[in-house]
Amino acid sequence: MGPSTQKMTPFFLFSGQAEEAMNFYTSIFDDSEINHISHHADGKVLQASFTLKGQQFMCIDNTNGDHHAFTPALSIFVTCDTDDEIEHVFAKLSQDGFVMMPLASYPFSEKFAWVADRFGVSWQLNLAKQ
């Protein structure tokens, strides 16, 4: 599903780390790129869009001084295609982050993990059934 047909787009509000987060995420996932970025005069992200595994996302930096934390109540669920992919993604996202459920076998999945990355964004990683 390309960006022109996608009707709902997850939107992140970062506290000054939007560009760093986009660069981090696009370095982890295949079929990923920063599509567009515009900045405020101070260098903060005014508006940006990026794609991870073919899914489009948007983000901005909050410039009003308020900090709104991300929470595990909403997470990005990622279906990984191979064992190597889930291992790689888990290692990168959990670095300087927090592991809520370690990468392991569970009754509902052969291989699954739930992590919050260093920005506080929550990710559920699942290995596709082989």
Side-chain angles (χ1 to χ4, degrees), residues 3-20:
S4 62
T5 60
Q6 184 173 303
K7 301 295 183 191
M8 293 188 185
T9 304
F11 193 105
F12 297 102
L13 175 66
F14 289 97
S15 297
Q17 316 91 351
E19 193 160 3
E20 179 187 351

Side-chain angles (χ1 to χ4, degrees), residues 52-74:
L52 305 177
K53 286 183 67 96
Q55 168 73 43
Q56 187 174 352
F57 296 84
M58 294 176 72
C59 67
I60 61 172
D61 278 320
N62 187 0
T63 57
N64 70 6
D66 292 340
H67 173 72
H68 302 285
F70 293 107
T71 167
L74 180 66

Side-chain angles (χ1 to χ4, degrees), residues 57-100:
F57 296 84
M58 294 176 72
C59 67
I60 61 172
D61 278 320
N62 187 0
T63 57
N64 70 6
D66 292 340
H67 173 72
H68 302 285
F70 293 107
T71 167
L74 180 66
S75 59
I76 307 299
F77 189 95
V78 180
T79 301
C80 297
D81 298 317
T82 65
D83 193 62
D84 286 347
E85 180 187 10
I86 197 170
E87 293 280 347
H88 169 77
V89 170
F90 173 77
K92 293 292 187 180
L93 290 176
S94 63
Q95 186 176 0
D96 299 321
F98 178 75
V99 176
M100 292 175 276

Side-chain angles (χ1 to χ4, degrees), residues 12 14 16-39 43-45 48-53 57-61 88 92-93 117-119 121 123:
F12 297 102
F14 289 97
Q17 316 91 351
E19 193 160 3
E20 179 187 351
M22 283 189 302
N23 287 324
F24 178 60
Y25 299 147
T26 56
S27 75
I28 295 171
F29 295 99
D30 291 337
D31 191 19
S32 299
E33 65 180 335
I34 295 174
N35 306 314
H36 166 80
I37 185 167
S38 57
H39 297 91
K44 301 254 191 247
V45 173
S49 66
F50 60 104
T51 302
L52 305 177
K53 286 183 67 96
F57 296 84
M58 294 176 72
C59 67
I60 61 172
D61 278 320
H88 169 77
K92 293 292 187 180
L93 290 176
D117 67 30
R118 67 184 190 222
F119 306 104
V121 175
W123 302 83

